[in-house]
Amino acid sequence: QVQLVESGGGLVQAGGTLRLSCVASGSTFSQNPMAWYRQAPGKQRELVAGITASGGRTNYLDSVKGRFTISRDNAKYTVYLQMNSLKPEDTGVYFCNADAARTVYGMYHWGKGTQVTVSS
């Protein structure tokens, strides 16, 4: 079973920058469309950004377009989320997993996520 380990979160001021990383174990990673999700306090988990297996196409939640960039390095079994111009509403726990709308291999067990807190 693939394990996911997210890192890179922290406390930043509005306008700041963070880069999240997610390392996956398991052989299906490089063939699986992946995504970053976030869960804000009291809200449901939402997809923030997705990327195809090859990395050739990406998609974003409207509220993060132009500020966030998802990328992946299949040789390192890693997916990244570069977050610029952070806003307080970006606060939440960020998780990576397969892109639920595009995966043919199914979702992996959720990792612990990484906390992002943006202060105003």
Side-chain angles (χ1 to χ4, degrees):
Q1 180 62 266
V2 172
Q3 292 185 327
L4 303 168
V5 179
E6 301 92 348
S7 64
L11 172 62
V12 296
Q13 290 187 333
T17 295
L18 285 173
R19 189 191 194 208
L20 307 184
S21 299
C22 171
V23 180
S25 64
S27 60
T28 63
F29 172 82
S30 62
Q31 302 159 61
N32 215 352
M34 293 294 293
W36 281 95
Y37 301 80
R38 71 184 175 196
Q39 186 163 20
K43 295 187 178 180
Q44 289 189 332
R45 191 175 295 168
E46 62 180 350
L47 188 147
V48 173
I51 188 166
T52 55
S54 67
R57 285 183 293 174
T58 58
N59 60 281
Y60 298 93
L61 186 67
D62 284 348
S63 62
V64 308
K65 284 180 181 177
R67 300 188 297 119
F68 290 10
T69 303
I70 188 172
S71 60
R72 66 190 297 164
D73 185 337
N74 287 339
K76 295 182 178 180
Y77 291 84
T78 302
V79 61
Y80 304 98
L81 185 67
Q82 178 69 41
M83 305 188 296
N84 300 331
S85 302
L86 283 160
K87 302 177 180 181
E89 51 264 43
D90 295 319
T91 294
V93 181
Y94 283 69
F95 303 85
C96 72
N97 208 318
D99 186 332
R102 293 174 173 81
T103 182
V104 296
Y105 294 96
M107 304 294 287
Y108 302 127
H109 287 306
W110 292 94
K112 295 181 179 180
T114 186
Q115 176 70 48
V116 171
T117 303
V118 184
S119 64
S120 58

